Amino acid sequence: MHHSVYSGNQGDISRARDWFFKGKRKIMLYTERIHFYRRYKIRGIQNLIIYSLPERKEFYPEIVNMLEGSDDMACTVLFSLYDKLREPSAIHLLKAAVFAAMLERIVGSSAAKRMIKSEKGVFVFC
């Protein structure tokens, strides 16, 4: 099940959100784009996986706060410092600067610098 900006029928979206809340659907794809345009409150989230840093810093707490009220909740944020290996060096430098700015907006300047320079691959922060 997914939500799309292009979903024409509001009834389909409402029904999908209800099925997810009631546990009839276990997985929902909810994109930053749909959040930008619709700002749905998704209820019933048990596990939230964010697969990249959001473009807008306010989206991170808005989406993570959807876990509020859920029992046995978990949130995982996935992003890779190693994506640079797939790009030419000029593009890599630009992407690295953009990545650093995105990370800084969420965790703050000093934490972002520590995370980027670290050899660790996993970080826990609240």
Side-chain angles (χ1 to χ4, degrees):
M1 172 175 56
H2 72 283
H3 285 314
S4 169
V5 175
Y6 308 109
S7 297
N9 187 340
Q10 183 63 37
D12 289 343
I13 294 172
S14 296
R15 186 172 28 261
R17 291 173 59 212
D18 186 56
W19 287 346
F20 184 75
F21 174 66
K22 291 178 178 175
K24 294 179 181 179
R25 297 293 184 269
K26 300 294 182 191
I27 297 173
M28 175 186 293
L29 176 62
Y30 184 77
T31 66
E32 184 174 358
R33 183 176 178 92
I34 190 72
H35 188 71
F36 178 83
Y37 285 104
R38 305 285 172 92
R39 294 292 207 287
Y40 289 120
K41 171 75 171 149
I42 307 299
R43 299 176 304 144
I45 298 173
Q46 297 297 316
N47 294 290
L48 176 64
I49 300 172
I50 300 173
Y51 62 86
S52 68
L53 296 171
E55 292 288 325
R56 296 175 172 263
K57 67 178 182 177
E58 64 272 14
F59 287 1
Y60 184 80
E62 286 175 10
I63 293 171
V64 170
N65 284 334
M66 287 185 199
L67 288 166
E68 185 178 71
S70 296
D71 298 330
D72 193 30
M73 56 192 164
C75 178
T76 304
V77 180
L78 305 173
F79 59 89
S80 176
L81 296 173
Y82 305 107
D83 285 340
K84 63 186 176 189
L85 299 175
R86 295 185 223 142
E87 302 290 342
S89 60
I91 294 173
H92 158 63
L93 292 175
L94 178 61
K95 280 189 163 185
V98 170
F99 171 81
M102 292 169 70
L103 184 61
E104 184 177 337
R105 288 190 303 243
I106 294 170
V107 300
S109 298
S110 60
K113 288 175 187 172
R114 272 196 321 274
M115 293 169 77
I116 289 170
K117 291 178 181 178
S118 177
E119 296 294 320
K120 294 184 351 180
V122 176
F123 301 93
V124 177
F125 61 92
C126 301

